[in-house]
């Protein structure tokens, strides 16, 4: 190996880059498990002990892993399972059933899935997939027949545990917990959820049967740890074939993390959320910019990636609108400001639009009511911005007296207008406003003070 | 049968002929037969005593089967009644008990019912029609006929065990009506002249050769044998029921009665087993050259000894030791001589002598047993001892004979079981049972038989005693067979356990006969064990194909590890699932429930009880404990037997599934909910005979609520029916459930028998833990008290208490990795466990939230303060948030980002949000108190 390493010490840059992409993508996207859990050692130990007791001693248990999204709940569970299955005794015995509250949306589906994953359906042919009631009785019978010392322990992993609590009567949970509290086949129920109040969702008899073990995953991460984490995520491992390239890459990552602007961007991300998934997203965007021509991550890449991450989705949507649509949106926004968020109807929007035209009739053609309506229908996919106030079905959308609510914050629309203006100036789309585009923005009096400097900033360009 | 039930025709029942007798006290007339005619059809069906009939039951496809014993009506002729002997169908035997059978029951199989607690008087109007019932020998295979109208009897069922039933019980009066002259309660004892294809038909035929075989027939015996008196032959049959393998030749010369009986049986079997050459071969097997001499000798010896010992005891004149010694010499001497019939016969004369002496010494014995039985039955107690051995010999032989294997497959398993037993005991007749397959065993048996012989010489009496018992154990079926035949004799005492009765009488009157009855009684009690053990042994071996419906979790390849240290031991004991030896702190409740259910069972009435209490107060556990105790009481015959059924509202998908589950647990039938409801309704409302009490536990009653409440209504209505014999125990969490969710008619039927389980007090909790730990010293006293006080203050839930204790042991185990800690679970561990389980994670969650999330929470509170409401839209909060950002010197975030922050908080349920499609207009509420938020943020 070392010989080969020596021989391949200088791979072509292209190959190196491909390798880097491969290694890092695996880390960032495939949720590759870390060798050992950082910062959650205690939880890891607790869970491992618990599951080991089920697997080895046949003790029934139930536990909940609770933590915010992206805190590493599933990662923890997977790590524990990996470590558990390294032990031969556990590996030979343990049966696993993985359920997800988003997939198994009711008990009937969940039961079928359990039966399938336990390979019980072969025992009785198609009979299992009879009625729901039969299925339940069948499964309970199967679990009841086992006992602590003789039957194989079953691990039930319930992802999105809180959704199971919404099933009718919580039949599945009751039965699982009941089995775990009685001398039947040994089972371990592991619930994974992000809801802190999950116990309040359980009915009291279900709750009483639950062992009340909760493993909380609340990361107490500081920024320096966060920074370290970024660095380790980007660094290449030691066994990278081209050691020189790896060295260069790691050095460049080192300098990247020490860069002031990069630190600022990361700080902002850290402030916004501590979870690793958003960080991975950011790093992934950076990584995709690495190419043969640019074989390292530069601070500019990170800034660009961050800009993409923080881009306001709704503002971006406005960029593709036609002038008429834009005008209508602005009219709606104006109405919204005037009536303080009260709902309005299409007629009012049209009137507002006409008012605008009267002032600046030279710049725009006076569209008829049907055209306005048609535009509004076309804008229906953009219902992020306004929605039928009393949620009429789509056919009633045509009626001019339908009330709409504007759904953008005024501050946002203020910025949007300016953005659009700048955008339009740049792309030279404003041939409808040939003379003085500045009048367009000034014709709306904005209550927001935020707009003023931005507009002022826009002025010189005009 | 479908023909009848489907048409739903009106049937007319009429007496035929004049009344036989008139009972003045009861004012009833007895009749010999009853005619049933269907309105509009000319055909009439005649039912007469002794016939087998079908009686309308809850299941239309499977009506009850019974034999008419007596028909009577009241003076006016309005009430027509029949006294019947019941037979049980396979479906009526509880599925759990069917396992005792050790084989798959034949669909057409029925069992002679010997259980108690069954009403044998039925309304004659419920009689459907006559049916053909045939008796089959235990070994015989079921004939392959598609005649659905013929039912087969092999075994009897007394609600606990299966026993072989005597053919005479079933067939003596089959098909043919008894002559009018015979007293109806007792079926006519004589055999039917020529019952078509019924086994006993062979008996008279076989008697001819038996007589011929006798060189010097004792005239009295011969007369009896040929007289065809059923009772007599039955009594002897009990002795010589099964053809012997080993000593058949010798036995045949033993006495005429035995011979006739054994021949009768072998002929019967030949009849039943479709004339395979194997049978012939088997009979030939009994020739002496196939046997070792020792075998025969030992058998003869045993018989001799038994009879002599019995004699000695009866007379109680000679020292018990002396007699066997002298007698045991004779067979030995004979053994040395070539085995010749004459000598054997000579030898065998002694029993008859003893018999005669018996009679003379105890003159009252004859009329004790049966007035009509002068001498024949007296033999039975003694003969019985000899018979089992031969039975076992035959069964062993059946296994060896290859040609028989196929037909007697069902029999094989018990026979094997018997063999195994025999092997264990290493009894003298083993060589006979020895199979060619196991030569090793054979030699071992030979040796053991030799040893035994010597032992016999030395301590024959003692040995014999145990020997006899052993033998009785080996062949319980044989014993049952006898008892059933005896029962027949005592049939007048229907409904009683006649077997015991007979024994009692005998023991009272036999001069020194305490031995025989004792051993008999012992064997009776022991019969159950061997019957079960072979079945159990065999059950796993049987192919599982037909029993698909109950799969199970595969068993583990590596055994579960046992607890290694004190803490692990304690943890195992503290697990909720471990069943404690007793339930402390619920003695009063236990007593109440126990006496309630017990009284209902004893009275044969029904009733409801409602048990309430918060979760984890031991409701279900107490009821289960009560049931265990009652079941035990029923097992030792303190109270009548009963069914215990349990359903759980949470373990069914729909309230109506309750019917399905009850029906399935009661009868093993599967049906749809509606059908099951109808069947149960019928079962509980009809004046059905032979009904055991049923105790039904309904857990989580509130889930059986339906809009019409018909499930609950039925559950509470059935116990009020006269014949239901149903006790319903219901469990739910809320005390006032009947008032809150039940409509009046349901609540009133539930009645006022209520019981409420109070949450445990801290002392009780402490006691529970202590009793569970059972002297395993793992906790400090203070720690226990802390846990129990804490739990008692919060919920009084015993499960919680146990879980906390378990967690505390874990924490202790982890911390004790460092050597400073003691082995005991202390206060600190318990505190940690309590904190883990009871503290809410909200504050930690807020502390661990990101900066923007914390800012957003602050903005929410600021907006709430501004509005004076506990609710705001995102738009409003976002404005605050932007302002706060500027105050904090952070870059203001975009709306999308703000929404993302808001959603994250919502996912943790720190905030309560409206659905996110509302965008900026969604309303926001705090899910934690403002103080908590401020506290968490300030501490940061």
């Amino acid at each position: 190996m070392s010989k080969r390493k020596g021989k391949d010490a200088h791979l072509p840059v292209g190959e190196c880059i491909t390798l880097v992409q491969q290694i890092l993508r695996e880390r960032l996207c495939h949720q590759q498990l870390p060798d050992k859990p950082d910062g959650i050692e205690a939880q890891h130990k607790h869970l491992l002990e618990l599951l080991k007791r089920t697997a080895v001693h046949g003790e029934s248990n139930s536990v909940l892993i609770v933590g915010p999204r992206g805190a590493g709940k599933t990662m923890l569970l997977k790590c524990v399972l990996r470590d558990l299955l390294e032990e031969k005794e556990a590996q030979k015995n343990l049966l696993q059933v993985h359920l997800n509250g988003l997939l198994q949306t009711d008990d009937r589906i969940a039961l079928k899935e359990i039966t399938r994953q336990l390979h019980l359906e072969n025992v009785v042919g198609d009979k299992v997939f009879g009625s729901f009631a039969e299925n339940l009785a069948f499964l309970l019978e199967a679990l009841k027949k086992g006992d602590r010392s003789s039957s194989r322990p079953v691990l039930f992993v319930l992802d999105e545990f809180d959704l199971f609590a919404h099933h009718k009567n919580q039949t599945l949970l009751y039965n699982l917990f009941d089995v775990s509290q009685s001398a039947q086949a040994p089972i371990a129920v592991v619930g994974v959820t992000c809801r802190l109040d999950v116990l309040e969702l359980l009915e009291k008899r279900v709750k009483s049967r639950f062992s009340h073990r909760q493993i909380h995953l609340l990361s107490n991460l500081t920024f320096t740890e966060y920074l370290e984490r970024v660095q380790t995520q980007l660094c290449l491992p030691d066994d990278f074939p081209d050691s020189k390239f790896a060295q260069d890459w790691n050095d460049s990552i080192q300098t990247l993390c020490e860069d002031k602007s990069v630190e600022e961007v990361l700080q902002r991300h850290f402030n916004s959320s501590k979870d690793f998934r958003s960080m991975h997203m950011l790093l992934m965007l950076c990584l995709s910019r690495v190419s043969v021509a640019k074989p390292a991550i530069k601070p500019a890449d990170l800034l660009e990636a961050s800009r993409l991450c923080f881009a306001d989705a709704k503002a971006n949507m406005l960029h593709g609108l036609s002038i008429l649509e834009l005008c209508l949106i602005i009219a709606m926004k104006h109405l919204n400001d005037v009536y303080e968020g009260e709902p309005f109807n299409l007629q009012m929007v049209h009137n507002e639009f006409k008012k605008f035209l009267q002032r600046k009739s030279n710049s725009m053609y006076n569209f008829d009511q049907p055209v306005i309506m048609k535009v509004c229908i076309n804008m229906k996919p953009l219902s992020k911005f306004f929605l039928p106030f009393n949620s009429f079905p789509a056919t009633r959308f045509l009626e001019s007296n339908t009330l709409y609510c504007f759904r953008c914050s005024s501050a946002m629309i203020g910025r949007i207008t300016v953005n659009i203006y700048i955008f339009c100036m740049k792309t030279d789309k404003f041939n409808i406003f040939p003379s003085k585009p500045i009048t367009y923005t000034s014709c709306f009096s904005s209550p927001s003070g935020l707009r003023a400097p931005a507009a002022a900033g826009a002025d010189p360009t005009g | 049968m479908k023909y009848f039930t489907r048409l739903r025709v009106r049937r007319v029942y009429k007496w035929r002929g004049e009344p036989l007798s008139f009972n003045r006290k009861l004012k009833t007339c007895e009749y010999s037969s009853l005619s049933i005619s269907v309105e509009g059809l000319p055909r009439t069906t005649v039912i007469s005593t002794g016939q087998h009939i079908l009686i309308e039951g809850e299941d239309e496809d499977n009506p009850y089967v019974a034999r008419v014993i007596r028909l009577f009506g009241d003076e006016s002729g309005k009430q027509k009644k029949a006294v019947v002997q019941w037979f049980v169908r396979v479906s009526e035997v509880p599925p759990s008990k069917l396992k005792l059978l050790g084989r798959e029951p034949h669909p057409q199989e029925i069992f002679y019912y010997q259980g108690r607690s069954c009403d044998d008087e039925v309304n004659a109007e419920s009689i459907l029609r006559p049916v053909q019932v045939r008796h089959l020998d235990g070994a015989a295979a079921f004939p392959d006929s598609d005649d659905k109208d013929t039912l087969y009897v092999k075994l009897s069922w007394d609600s606990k065990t299966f026993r072989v039933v005597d053919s005479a019980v079933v067939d003596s009066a089959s098909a043919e009506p008894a002559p009018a002259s015979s007293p109806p309660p007792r079926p006519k004892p004589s055999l039917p002249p020529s019952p078509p294809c019924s086994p006993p038909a062979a008996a008279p035929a076989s008697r001819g050769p038996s007589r011929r075989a006798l060189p010097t027939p004792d005239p009295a015996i011969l007369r009896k044998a040929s007289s065809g008196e059923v009772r007599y032959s039955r009594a002897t049959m009990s002795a010589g029921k099964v053809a012997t393998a080993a000593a058949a030749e010798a036995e045949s010369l033993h006495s005429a009665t035995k011979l006739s009986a054994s021949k009768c049986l072998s002929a019967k079997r030949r009849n039943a087993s479709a004339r395979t050459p194997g049978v012939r071969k088997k009979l030939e097997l009994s020739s002496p050259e196939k046997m070792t001499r020792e075998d025969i000798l030992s058998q003869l010896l045993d018989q001799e000894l038994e009879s002599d010992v019995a004699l000695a005891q009866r007379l109680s004149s000679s020292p018990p030791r002396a007699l066997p010694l002298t007698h045991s010499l004779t067979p030995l001497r004979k053994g040395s001589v070539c085995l010749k019939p004459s000598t054997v016969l000579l030898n065998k004369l002694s029993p008859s002598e003893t018999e005669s002496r018996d009679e003379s010494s105890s003159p009252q014995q004859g009329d004790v047993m049966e007035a009509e039985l002068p001498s024949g039955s007296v033999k039975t107690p003694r003969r019985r001892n000899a018979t089992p051995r031969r039975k076992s010999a035959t069964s062993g032989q059946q296994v060896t004979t290859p040609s028989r294997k196929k037909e007697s497959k069902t029999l094989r398993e018990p026979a094997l079981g018997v063999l195994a037993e025999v092997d264990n005991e290493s009894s003298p007749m083993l060589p006979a049972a020895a199979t060619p397959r196991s030569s090793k065993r054979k030699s071992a048996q030979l040796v053991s038989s030799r040893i035994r012989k010597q032992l016999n010489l030395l301590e024959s009496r003692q040995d014999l005693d145990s020997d006899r018992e052993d033998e009785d154990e080996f062949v319980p079926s044989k014993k049952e067979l006898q008892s059933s035949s005896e029962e027949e004799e005592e049939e007048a005492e229907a409904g009683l356990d006649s077997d015991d009765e007979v024994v009692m009488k005998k023991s009272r009157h036999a001069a020194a006969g305490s031995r025989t009855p004792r051993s008999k009684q012992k064997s009776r009690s022991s019969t159950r064990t061997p019957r079960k053990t072979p079945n159990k042994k065999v059950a796993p071996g049987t192919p599982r194909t037909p029993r698909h419906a109950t799969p199970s979790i595969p068993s583990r390849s590596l055994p579960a590890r046992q607890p290694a240290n004190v803490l692990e031991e304690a943890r195992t004991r503290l697990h909720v699932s471990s069943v404690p030896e007793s339930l402390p702190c619920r003695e009063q409740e236990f007593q109440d429930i126990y006496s309630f259910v017990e009284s209902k069972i004893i009275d044969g009435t029904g009733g409801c009880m409602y048990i309430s209490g918060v979760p984890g107060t031991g409701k279900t556990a107490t009821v289960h404990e009560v049931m265990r105790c009652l079941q035990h009481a029923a097992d030792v015959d303190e109270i009548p037997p009963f069914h215990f059924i349990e359903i759980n509202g949470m373990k069914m998908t729909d309230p109506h599934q309750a019917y399905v589950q009850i029906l399935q647990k009661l009868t093993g039938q599967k049906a749809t909910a509606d059908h099951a409801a109808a069947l149960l309704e019928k079962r509980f409302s009809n004046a059905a005979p032979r009904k055991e009490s049923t105790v039904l536990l309904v857990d989580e009653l509130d889930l059986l609520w339906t809009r019409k409440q018909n499930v609950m209504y039925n559950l509470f209505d059935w116990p009020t029916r006269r014949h239901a014999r149903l006790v319903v125990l219901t469990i739910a969490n809320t005390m006032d459930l009947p008032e809150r969710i039940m409509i009046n008619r349901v609540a009133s039927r539930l009645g006022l028998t209520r019981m409420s389980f109070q949450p445990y007090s801290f002392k009780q909790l402490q006691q529970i833990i202590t009793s569970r730990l059972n002297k395993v010293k793992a906790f400090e006293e203070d720690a226990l008290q802390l846990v129990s006080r804490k739990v008692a203050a919060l919920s009084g839930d015993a499960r919680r208490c146990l879980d906390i204790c378990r967690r505390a042991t874990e924490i202790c185990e982890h911390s004790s990795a460092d050597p400073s800690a003691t082995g005991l679970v202390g206060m600190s561990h318990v505190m940690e466990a309590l904190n883990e389980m009871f503290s809410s994670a909200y504050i930690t969650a807020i502390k661990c939230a990101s900066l923007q999330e914390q800012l957003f929470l602050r903005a929410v509170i600021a907006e709430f303060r501004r509005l004076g409401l506990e609710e705001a839209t995102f738009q409003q909060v976002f404005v605050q948030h932007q302002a706060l950002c500027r105050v904090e010197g952070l870059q203001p975030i975009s709306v999308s980002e703000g929404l993302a922050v808001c959603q994250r908080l919502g996912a943790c349920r720190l905030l309560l949000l409206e659905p996110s499609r509302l965008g900026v207009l969604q309303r926001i509420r705090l899910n934690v108190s403002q103080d908590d938020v401020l506290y968490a943020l300030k501490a940061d």
Side-chain angles (χ1 to χ4, degrees), chain B residues 31-60:
Chain B
Y31 294 86
S32 66
S33 58
L34 172 81
S35 72
I36 306 171
S37 59
V38 179
E39 237 177 35
L41 285 172
R43 210 159 61 103
T44 59
T45 315
V46 179
I47 306 284
S48 40
T49 49
Q51 239 180 334
H52 292 93
I53 50 166
L54 293 180
I55 294 177
E56 208 168 350
E58 52 226 39
D59 187 354
E60 287 184 0

Side-chain angles (χ1 to χ4, degrees), chain A residues 46-81:
Chain A
H46 183 181
L47 188 61
L48 185 62
E49 287 285 315
L50 198 73
L51 295 187
K52 208 183 264 178
R53 276 209 304 281
T54 301
V56 177
H57 293 278
E59 178 185 300
S60 291
N61 276 311
S62 47
V63 67
L64 277 179
I65 306 175
V66 187
R69 295 213 182 276
K73 303 180 291 290
T74 313
M75 191 266 291
L76 170 70
L77 184 63
K78 278 182 178 167
C79 278
V80 166
L81 281 182

Side-chain angles (χ1 to χ4, degrees), chain B residues 163-184:
Chain B
R163 296 154 187 234
V164 175
V165 74
D166 191 83
S167 68
V169 172
V170 182
D171 285 315
S172 64
S174 76
E176 249 64 36
S181 61
S182 75

Side-chain angles (χ1 to χ4, degrees), chain A residues 287-438:
Chain A
L287 184 69
S288 58
R289 290 172 164 268
V290 174
S291 65
V292 181
K294 200 161 68 73
I297 299 178
K298 296 273 177 280
D301 295 334
L302 200 68
L303 291 184
E304 183 60 24
S306 157
R307 205 184 52 75
L308 270 176
C309 276
F310 282 119
D312 196 322
K314 284 186 181 172
N316 283 345
M317 277 164 101
L318 286 178
H319 286 264
L321 294 184
S322 72
I323 299 303
L324 178 58
E325 284 164 342
L326 217 50
C327 290
L328 286 177
I329 294 251
I330 290 165
M332 284 175 190
K333 190 248 161 199
H334 201 191
L335 277 175
N336 198 42
D337 289 346
V338 170
Y339 296 107
E340 289 174 335
E342 289 296 304
F344 48 86
N345 62 19
L346 204 57
Q347 191 62 53
M348 293 160 80
V349 176
H350 194 205
N351 289 342
E352 192 67 25
F353 178 63
K354 274 194 279 191
K355 251 193 261 170
F356 166 67
L357 285 186
Q358 275 160 15
R359 264 182 276 173
K360 294 286 158 200
S361 54
N362 56 342
S363 61
M364 196 138 183
Y365 183 74
N366 187 10
F367 292 103
D368 287 339
Q369 175 97 358
V371 178
I372 303 283
M373 231 180 236
K374 188 77 187 165
V375 167
C376 283
I377 292 167
N378 284 342
M379 279 205 292
K380 221 182 99 201
L382 296 177
S383 60
K384 290 249 185 252
F385 294 102
F386 57 94
L387 77 168
F389 181 68
N390 28 17
S391 58
F392 280 123
T395 46
R396 304 286 299 274
F397 197 86
L398 292 172
E399 291 173 24
S400 55
N401 55 358
T402 310
L403 295 173
Y404 300 103
C405 244
F406 199 67
R407 286 182 47 178
C408 287
S409 73
S410 47
M412 182 178 116
I413 205 74
R415 246 191 19 247
I416 288 166
T417 45
V418 176
N419 284 346
I420 291 164
Y421 174 71
I422 297 165
F423 176 73
C424 293
M425 288 305 291
K426 277 182 185 160
T427 51
D428 200 21
K429 251 177 146 182
F430 270 94
N431 48 6
I432 309 177
F433 301 108
S435 53
K436 291 170 193 165
I438 191 69

Side-chain angles (χ1 to χ4, degrees), chain B residues 793-815:
Chain B
L794 281 165
S795 60
D797 187 338
R799 289 195 189 108
R800 189 79 323 99
C801 197
L802 294 173
D803 282 332
I804 292 169
C805 289
R806 269 177 62 216
R807 178 69 189 131
T809 60
E810 283 168 27
I811 293 171
C812 176
E813 200 169 34
H814 288 176
S815 62

Side-chain angles (χ1 to χ4, degrees), chain B residues 373-391:
Chain B
L373 269 182
S375 66
S377 66
V378 184
K379 284 179 199 164
T380 38
R382 188 147 29 88
R383 279 286 159 68
R384 199 172 291 133
N385 301 325
T387 44
R389 179 179 343 108
R390 282 188 281 156
K391 164 77 175 185

Side-chain angles (χ1 to χ4, degrees), chain A residues 44 64 122 133 137 151 207 210 230 235 270 309 313 328 420 422 428:
Chain A
H44 181 266
L64 277 179
N122 295 331
S151 32
K207 196 173 165 185
F210 170 58
V230 170
C235 278
F270 176 73
C309 276
L328 286 177
I420 291 164
I422 297 165
D428 200 21

